[in-house]
Amino acid sequence: ILYFYPKDMTGGCTSQACNFRDRYPQFQEKGAVVLGVSKDTIESHKRFEEKHSLPFPLLADTELKVITAYDVLKPGADGKPTKSLIRSTYLIDENGMIAKAFGGVKPKENADQMLKALGGEEP
């Protein structure tokens, strides 16, 4: 599970991360790996991980390479991407292929949504 979120230590992002944390044993039972990605720095991620006891890694994409590759930047008024992220989550299979993609996810529902996707159920 690769999930993109806008910013460490904000309300929605904290809720999303903590929901993945609280359900982490269930993800492990299903053999899933959870990775969070934002444009924040490694230092910011470390503080966020420590403050909320996150058991999974957060990846720092300060150069927006992965974020751009997954096309999760919001379009601006001119049609060009802005530096804001669309909260998105990808279920990636064992071969590195995207099995399912979810855009505009709701922070409080995303972990449950992904557990359902892992179980083969439609969310």
Side-chain angles (χ1 to χ4, degrees):
I1 295 167
L2 184 65
Y3 82 93
F4 292 88
Y5 66 98
K7 188 158 182 59
D8 292 340
M9 304 292 189
T10 59
C13 298
T14 299
S15 172
Q16 185 178 25
C18 289
N19 280 322
F20 274 111
R21 175 201 64 204
D22 294 347
R23 289 158 183 77
Y24 192 69
Q26 293 169 275
F27 287 110
Q28 286 184 305
E29 286 173 14
K30 293 181 179 284
V33 173
V34 176
L35 301 169
V37 181
S38 82
K39 58 186 169 62
D40 292 312
T41 64
I42 292 170
E43 294 78 20
S44 176
H45 283 342
K46 284 182 181 178
R47 286 190 304 274
F48 191 44
E49 288 173 356
E50 289 172 8
K51 181 174 182 175
H52 298 289
S53 303
L54 302 180
F56 53 86
L58 300 177
L59 308 177
D61 189 17
T62 58
E63 295 181 12
L64 307 178
K65 290 181 180 181
V66 177
I67 289 166
T68 301
Y70 277 83
D71 195 26
V72 293
L73 289 174
K74 291 182 181 178
D78 58 3
K80 294 181 180 176
T82 66
K83 298 233 180 200
S84 298
L85 275 114
I86 300 167
R87 194 182 304 275
S88 306
T89 306
Y90 294 85
L91 180 58
I92 301 171
D93 69 17
E94 307 82 28
N95 300 314
M97 302 299 294
I98 296 172
K100 293 187 180 185
F102 302 87
V105 299
K106 295 179 181 174
K108 291 182 180 180
E109 298 171 9
N110 194 211
D112 287 335
Q113 179 183 40
M114 297 313 294
L115 280 170
K116 286 179 185 173
L118 282 167
E121 303 170 33
E122 286 302 315

